[in-house]
Each structure stands twice: as structure tokens, then as C-alpha cells.
Amino acid sequence: MGTTLPGADELAALARETAKRCGAEVGSGVTTTSPINGLPLAAVDWVDATAVDEAAARAREARSPPRRSARSRR
């Protein structure tokens, strides 16, 4: 019973899906590579500082604890 590593195609698909879930556009810019085997995974486009700030604000909002209602404080 051995462990098998994912292939390049599977790693690339996982990288694209992860970027998509984070709101990142996968494009034709800088190519990312697998830390496991060094093969190309996907290409990402650079964005400006405003886009980074907006993404950080969305991330902060997403991890914020839910607001407690008056009823839940009783």
C-alpha cells in the first residue's frame, strides 16, 4: 500500500480551482510551478495595489466572526 503523488495535470487543476476560490484570475502572466516536481501548474496575472487591497478586505470580511443577535446573548 504505497502513496502516490498527484500528476502534473491534477496539480494544475487543483491550483486553478484554488485560485478561483480565492477570487484570483488564472491567466497568461507569470507561470507558477509545483513545489513537488517543478513542473508548470498555471499562469497568474499581476494586479495593482487596489485589487490586492480589495481582495484583503474580502478575506477579512469572510473570516470575521458572525454578529451576535440580542437573542443569542441571553
Side-chain angles (χ1 to χ4, degrees):
M1 180 162 45
T3 302
T4 59
L5 296 175
D9 291 339
E10 185 178 354
L11 289 172
L14 288 169
R16 285 190 299 274
E17 181 61 29
T18 301
K20 182 179 176 183
R21 288 182 182 183
C22 293
E25 296 290 328
V26 177
S28 59
V30 178
T31 300
T32 60
T33 57
S34 166
I36 296 170
N37 60 18
L39 295 174
L41 292 174
V44 294
D45 295 329
W46 291 107
V47 296
D48 61 17
T50 301
V52 173
D53 290 342
E54 290 170 355
R58 286 192 308 271
R60 277 191 300 276
E61 181 67 26
R63 76 176 181 103
S64 295
R67 296 179 189 209
R68 295 179 63 196
S69 68
R71 185 173 189 169
S72 68
R73 285 180 244 162
R74 291 185 207 176

